[in-house]
Amino acid sequence: MPISMMSKPKQSDSVSSATAQTAADNILCLEQVHTHIGEYHILQGVDFAVPRGELFVLLGRNGAGKSTCLRTIMGLWKASAGQILYQGRPIHTCTTPDIAQQGIAYVPENMGIFSALTVQENLRLAAIQGPIDQARLEWIFGFFPALKKFWNYPAGNLSGGQKQMVAIARAIIEPRQLILVDEPSKGLSPAMVQNLIDAFAELKAAHTSIILVEQNFEFVRGLGDQVAVMDDGRIVHRGSMKELAEDEALQTRLLGLSMASHQ
């Protein structure tokens, strides 16, 4: 699916309004969302919808607006225009704690763990509904055995990859309706990346909706259901991951280093 190389690209059919599908089909819809950070206009009319129970991937180069998109969904940056609908209800005017209380978990790129607290304390703080469910904890240990080994260690003493495990475990320590994860494969060994793929696959099987921001296409090509590609704060492509995975020319056009900027 070609991308217009004009200075102001028009949306194709694959980038039509998120309102084309109903709230019953989608757990989250962004409709013409703009975000300004100071004098910078970061998100410029972002439209996409996340189908219920699917894994939705946001791809794009550094600085394309992917992380800002997640932060705007969570209310950490406020949308300056447009709306964000979660379960059919607007959340773009809600505070971040209110958004989290509605069943959305967020794993930021910097992980955001409490370094002075132990692994156990980090996870207990995330279990807002009460004591940690032991069966779910053992399920998490199955994917991230290092967390069991370092259960009583300060999280700040762990390696970068182990800290990433803590951050992801906190997000899934309780069942969530929607999980937003920013660059989850960053800093992980190939074996841990495979464990992460397995964990996300099981979350999908349990009808958890997931948004992954990634630059590693190989990590998400067999995992994602739908994909959107961002460039300069806009969605320049949206479609099935299967379509993108099977079309090398489309991959080069969308993800190659020579992809033209849209100004």
Side-chain angles (χ1 to χ4, degrees):
M1 187 175 298
I3 299 176
S4 169
M5 295 301 174
M6 301 296 288
S7 60
K8 294 184 178 180
K10 295 181 180 179
Q11 290 183 327
S12 67
D13 291 341
S14 67
V15 196
S16 59
S17 171
T19 56
Q21 292 175 285
T22 67
D25 298 319
N26 302 315
I27 192 166
L28 186 79
C29 292
L30 276 69
E31 300 178 351
Q32 283 298 300
V33 172
H34 293 252
T35 300
H36 287 77
I37 301 175
E39 63 185 28
Y40 299 102
H41 190 180
I42 308 299
L43 300 186
Q44 302 182 34
V46 170
D47 269 308
F48 65 78
V50 179
R52 292 180 184 276
E54 294 193 3
L55 192 147
F56 187 95
V57 181
L58 271 178
L59 292 171
R61 60 178 176 77
N62 280 332
K66 306 184 304 295
S67 295
T68 297
C69 194
L70 294 192
R71 292 177 65 84
T72 302
I73 293 168
M74 287 303 301
L76 295 164
W77 297 117
K78 289 299 181 184
S80 49
Q83 64 175 352
I84 302 171
L85 303 176
Y86 172 66
Q87 311 254 44
R89 299 184 299 273
I91 61 169
H92 51 281
T93 57
C94 296
T95 66
T96 298
D98 286 343
I99 292 169
Q101 287 286 342
Q102 293 184 54
I104 303 178
Y106 173 50
V107 182
E109 185 179 5
N110 65 3
M111 296 171 280
I113 64 172
F114 296 101
S115 296
L117 301 183
T118 65
V119 171
Q120 177 181 186
E121 289 166 337
N122 268 274
L123 267 62
R124 290 193 184 283
L125 280 176
I128 59 176
Q129 301 300 325
I132 295 175
D133 179 85
Q134 193 61 35
R136 191 168 182 88
L137 183 59
E138 292 298 329
W139 173 75
I140 291 172
F141 285 158
F143 295 111
F144 307 130
L147 298 187
K148 189 171 187 177
K149 178 180 179 180
F150 298 114
W151 188 238
N152 292 309
Y153 281 58
N157 291 355
L158 304 182
S159 69
Q162 290 162 351
K163 290 176 182 176
Q164 182 72 289
M165 295 178 212
V166 174
I168 294 169
R170 287 195 320 178
I172 63 176
I173 194 64
E174 291 184 348
R176 308 286 187 179
Q177 295 291 316
L178 176 64
I179 302 174
L180 317 179
V181 191
D182 197 349
E183 300 282 2
S185 69
K186 192 174 183 178
L188 295 184
S189 67
M192 287 312 308
V193 167
Q194 185 57 54
N195 286 358
L196 195 56
I197 290 171
D198 293 342
F200 285 139
E202 287 208 17
L203 286 166
K204 279 176 55 179
H207 307 294
T208 302
S209 306
I210 304 167
I211 302 178
L212 289 187
V213 160
E214 260 297 336
Q215 291 192 69
N216 183 352
F217 182 62
E218 292 305 313
F219 169 60
V220 295
R221 66 182 300 158
L223 192 61
D225 297 297
Q226 300 293 319
V227 60
V229 180
M230 294 193 71
D231 190 33
D232 287 347
R234 303 179 181 94
I235 301 295
V236 294
H237 170 84
R238 191 177 71 224
S240 73
M241 178 58 78
K242 184 176 185 294
E243 173 195 12
L244 184 58
E246 294 176 350
D247 191 334
E248 292 186 6
L250 184 60
Q251 293 167 32
T252 300
R253 182 184 294 276
L254 293 171
L255 305 172
L257 295 176
S258 62
M259 186 169 73
S261 63
H262 300 268
Q263 298 179 353

